[in-house]
Amino acid sequence: MMKQQELNKGDNNVNTTTTEPTATEMKKDSAYVVNNLNLWYGEDQALIDVNLDIKKNEVTAIIGPSGCGKSTFIKTLNRMVELVPSVRTNGEILYHGRNIFDRGYRVEDLRTSVGMVFQQPNPFPKSVYDNVAYGPRTHGIKNKKVLDEIVERSLRGAAIWDEVKDRLNENAYGLSGGQQQRLCIARTLAIEPDVILMDEPTSALDPISTLKVEELVQELKEQYSIIIVTHNMQQAARVSDKTAFFLNGEVVEFDVTDKIFSNPSDKRTEDYISGRFG
Amino acid sequence: MALPNSEFKNRKNLMNRETVSQQIKRRLRLNEFFKYVFLAGLVFALLVLSTLIYDVISKGGGWVDLDFLRNFPSRRPEDAGLYPALIGSLWLMLLIVPMVFIIGVGAAIYLEEYAPKNRMTSFIEVNISNLAGVPSIVFGLLGLTIFVRVMELGNSIMAGALTLGLMSLPIVIVASQESLRAVKMELRHASLALGASKWQTTFNVVLPSALPGIITGIILAVSRAIGETAPLIMVGAATFISTTPSSVLSDFTALPIQIYNWTSRPQAEFQNLAAAGIIVLMTMLITMNSVAIYIRNKYTNRH
């Protein structure tokens, strides 16, 4: 087991750094560098020694069977996981060269530049406009003109502008599930993040809405770094540049998506993607 | 690998269709029976209520007129009115509502949104629920000791309002906590994930969603307080005053006190006056409850 891990690391450049990478050493093209991340829910360890280097302007997919820690991992990236009272972590996650677990690091700062889209569409029970404007308003933008511009740009960015431009003042709960999810993406774009975390964003959507969200992900990666957790391996293969395979809280393999799906180095990855378990 | 269905390959039914069908017949009869039991419960409640209302209206209906609302109490029943009591009750309401809103909702927000979920918190929560069941006379005694004597507020409106407010607080806190808890976690997460602080999340997302429930709770608690007699007797609300209150430190009387006072007189006319008083009090309470229902429906439809 240990041997195999060592082997993987060597093979795939998961994390070849043996010395501590500091802020200055950190590669400019990395969005996140995760070093020896461990996480516990009470006594249960959910993440074991996770090491990943997530590049900017790429789509990184995280796959794995239920309970493998992929959702936990993505929620750690914007520290939403800490809303569970019993969570304990060690290791470091460098974002823009700074460890997000640092004492002085404010989660509000982190979450302003790292947006998140959830599994279930969760618009606020407010109008379409107010949903998108919520983030900017939270961060102190009051000017109506600026807000109008942000709202339109975000809705266009989430490819939903044409569908909702005539009903900006209607309640978001009147939209379909797929529209709600794209509205949530627009709401995230409105805070002008650098990274967008997506936690199984299409698992509650029908195939057509799923397709729309996937196309959107492709467009968004030009300007954003996207990390997407998915249950759906075809989806990972379709949308992502890199794929990380999680199993029982460990990263088994992290590589270019094409390689993971055509020629995985680890037997367990192969078993999983060929549907032998999970 | 054995498929889970392999056991059903040569299945032998363990349930006998015949007996099951017999049983269904019995179950349906029971079903029907309970439908009428519950209907009887409703009919009984409505009967009692309508008897009460009929009794009150037939006795007091003729006595309610503008003079009754405008006059001071009098020894002659035909001149007597409940103006000071009506004003006193309105004063109480005006003081209680902001008091329980600020303190009650604040406490509920702290308990639901901020307090760590540990034994201490649940101990406090259990005790708040217990306080909601404490008899009102006990709150009256507390009010007499603390507000009337120690704080030297005397038999004033303020003392009465603080006592009734204290009595309403547990109900308001519990109702507010429940409506805060009913707000979906996903909404909080959505707001927090956009970089909003806990206070922004609470104020802009959680509170608006919980508000209809909170307001309903407050109005119901305050309606109950307005109908209370015992605590007001303890803090010494006057049974007869000849002036309307001029400040929160004035002596006062309230509708339930006035009604209580009239019922304890021997003359039949005063009994009718009491009934008329009850009509006024009931109208006030029904109005308040209607407002509560209106607010709840208005906001619930929007969400």
Side-chain angles (χ1 to χ4, degrees):
Chain A
M1 181 81 177
M2 264 315 281
K3 216 173 168 186
Q4 202 164 24
Q5 261 184 8
E6 293 290 314
L7 217 89
N8 284 339
K9 282 181 183 174
D11 279 357
N12 306 320
N13 294 322
V14 173
N15 177 28
T16 48
T17 42
T18 42
T19 52
E20 290 269 303
T22 60
T24 43
E25 267 181 75
M26 191 173 146
K27 290 184 215 100
K28 279 241 163 61
D29 57 346
S30 292
Y32 274 110
V33 176
V34 181
N35 290 322
N36 305 320
L37 175 69
N38 287 285
L39 183 142
W40 292 263
Y41 290 115
E43 293 302 306
D44 303 324
Q45 187 160 10
L47 294 176
I48 305 164
D49 236 1
V50 174
N51 289 286
L52 286 177
D53 182 353
I54 295 168
K55 296 279 180 254
K56 278 182 188 165
N57 296 81
E58 279 188 352
V59 179
T60 306
I62 296 173
I63 60 168
S66 298
C68 69
K70 55 190 193 300
S71 255
T72 299
F73 174 70
I74 199 172
K75 282 184 200 139
T76 313
L77 294 177
N78 66 347
R79 290 181 56 185
M80 287 292 281
V81 77
E82 288 167 26
L83 295 177
V84 181
S86 63
V87 158
R88 209 151 42 82
T89 50
N90 70 31
E92 61 176 9
I93 298 179
L94 299 175
Y95 173 67
H96 286 185
R98 256 186 90 190
N99 185 3
I100 63 168
F101 295 123
D102 272 352
R103 216 162 253 283
Y105 209 116
R106 289 188 302 236
V107 289
E108 287 81 7
D109 281 331
L110 177 68
R111 292 172 190 160
T112 306
S113 64
V114 179
M116 185 166 217
V117 177
F118 295 82
Q119 194 168 350
Q120 292 285 335
N122 59 352
F124 299 123
K126 302 171 187 282
S127 72
V128 171
Y129 185 97
D130 287 342
N131 261 282
V132 183
Y134 183 86
R137 278 182 180 144
T138 295
H139 301 299
I141 294 175
K142 293 199 181 83
N143 188 325
K144 181 88 171 74
K145 264 200 185 127
V146 179
L147 282 176
D148 283 348
E149 199 184 327
I150 293 177
V151 168
E152 180 173 345
R153 194 168 62 193
S154 306
L155 288 169
R156 281 189 194 281
I160 192 182
W161 172 253
D162 290 332
E163 289 159 69
V164 298
K165 64 176 184 230
D166 300 321
R167 43 201 291 206
L168 290 177
N169 293 317
E170 283 174 37
N171 195 303
Y173 278 23
L175 302 177
S176 75
Q179 288 173 326
Q180 287 187 9
Q181 192 62 305
R182 276 178 290 143
L183 177 67
C184 291
I185 294 174
R187 185 175 64 187
T188 300
L189 297 183
I191 58 169
E192 301 175 354
D194 298 325
V195 179
I196 302 175
L197 308 174
M198 296 183 160
D199 186 3
E200 296 186 39
T202 61
S203 64
L205 305 185
D206 65 87
I208 292 173
S209 305
T210 300
L211 188 72
K212 283 187 181 161
V213 170
E214 285 182 12
E215 284 170 359
L216 186 56
V217 168
Q218 287 303 320
E219 283 171 33
L220 291 175
K221 81 169 191 187
E222 314 252 312
Q223 294 179 56
Y224 306 90
S225 314
I226 297 173
I227 301 165
I228 182 169
V229 167
T230 177
H231 245 107
N232 180 332
M233 278 174 285
Q234 285 76 33
Q235 183 169 67
R238 278 194 300 263
V239 303
S240 71
D241 302 304
K242 296 260 180 66
T243 297
F245 172 54
F246 274 60
L247 188 62
N248 300 328
E250 290 177 86
V251 182
V252 172
E253 193 167 348
F254 177 49
D255 210 329
V256 175
T257 300
D258 286 342
K259 177 150 188 303
I260 292 260
F261 283 94
S262 59
N263 184 23
S265 351
D266 196 290
K267 177 79 169 56
R268 290 170 293 175
T269 315
E270 194 185 330
D271 285 351
Y272 182 70
I273 60 167
S274 57
R276 258 190 283 268
F277 73 92
Chain B
M1 198 170 71
L3 290 167
N5 274 338
S6 60
E7 289 207 13
F8 287 91
K9 222 163 202 176
N10 303 311
R11 66 175 213 184
K12 211 161 141 209
N13 286 342
L14 295 173
M15 291 201 296
N16 184 328
R17 296 247 174 265
E18 199 81 347
T19 45
V20 168
S21 154
Q22 281 292 318
Q23 230 230 344
I24 287 175
K25 210 164 153 195
R26 221 171 36 236
R27 269 150 52 195
L28 287 178
R29 233 180 296 145
L30 205 62
N31 195 28
E32 198 72 355
F33 171 72
F34 273 108
K35 188 172 90 187
Y36 289 110
V37 169
F38 297 138
L39 179 67
L42 175 69
V43 170
F44 180 74
L46 284 178
L47 265 179
V48 172
L49 190 65
S50 47
T51 314
L52 274 175
I53 292 176
Y54 173 78
D55 186 48
V56 166
I57 291 180
S58 65
K59 273 189 188 153
W63 292 80
V64 182
D65 53 21
L66 261 183
D67 281 340
F68 181 66
L69 295 179
R70 273 195 313 225
N71 286 1
F72 281 82
S74 159
R75 254 174 307 155
R76 280 170 306 173
E78 56 273 19
D79 288 344
L82 42 57
Y83 183 63
L86 190 62
I87 297 299
S89 281
L90 288 175
W91 266 100
L92 284 176
M93 207 154 62
L94 277 179
L95 289 172
I96 296 170
V97 170
M99 198 154 75
V100 296
F101 187 84
I102 295 167
I103 302 177
V105 178
I109 288 179
Y110 180 77
L111 283 172
E112 278 307 308
E113 307 292 326
Y114 289 89
K117 300 275 168 278
N118 56 24
R119 281 200 183 160
M120 187 66 192
T121 316
S122 58
F123 177 75
I124 290 172
E125 281 175 357
V126 167
N127 278 290
I128 289 173
S129 305
N130 282 342
L131 276 181
V134 168
S136 56
I137 188 95
V138 178
F139 281 100
L141 282 166
L142 184 76
L144 178 66
T145 318
I146 295 180
F147 304 127
V148 179
R149 303 254 164 87
V150 177
M151 288 170 65
E152 295 182 339
L153 290 170
N155 307 329
S156 64
I157 304 179
M158 202 59 199
L162 286 170
T163 308
L164 291 179
L166 213 55
M167 194 193 80
S168 319
L169 263 182
I171 308 171
V172 172
I173 294 175
V174 171
S176 305
Q177 268 188 288
E178 265 159 29
S179 9
L180 289 170
R181 212 173 298 152
V183 177
K184 279 192 282 176
M185 236 13 186
E186 287 82 8
L187 293 182
R188 293 182 179 86
H189 289 174
S191 171
L192 291 172
L194 290 167
S197 66
K198 194 156 203 165
W199 162 245
Q200 287 175 313
T201 302
T202 305
F203 190 74
N204 296 325
V205 175
V206 180
L207 213 48
S209 290
L211 209 53
I214 292 175
I215 291 176
T216 312
I218 287 177
I219 294 185
L220 292 180
V222 172
S223 321
R224 209 197 103 184
I226 289 303
E228 274 293 344
T229 324
L232 289 182
I233 292 178
M234 289 311 301
V235 298
T239 48
F240 178 85
I241 53 171
S242 50
T243 52
T244 52
S246 56
S247 82
V248 292
L249 292 176
S250 309
D251 285 0
F252 74 108
T253 186
L255 284 172
I257 302 277
Q258 186 63 62
I259 293 165
Y260 176 73
N261 174 258
W262 278 332
T263 49
S264 52
R265 301 216 183 173
Q267 300 96 316
E269 285 91 344
F270 283 108
Q271 307 296 322
N272 294 342
L273 275 179
I278 291 172
I279 294 174
V280 173
L281 181 60
M282 243 170 20
T283 313
M284 208 162 121
L285 294 184
I286 289 173
T287 313
M288 281 173 70
N289 286 348
S290 315
V291 170
I293 292 168
Y294 173 75
I295 289 173
R296 192 177 53 204
N297 290 348
K298 191 178 164 196
Y299 282 92
T300 317
N301 288 345
R302 253 211 281 162
H303 290 176

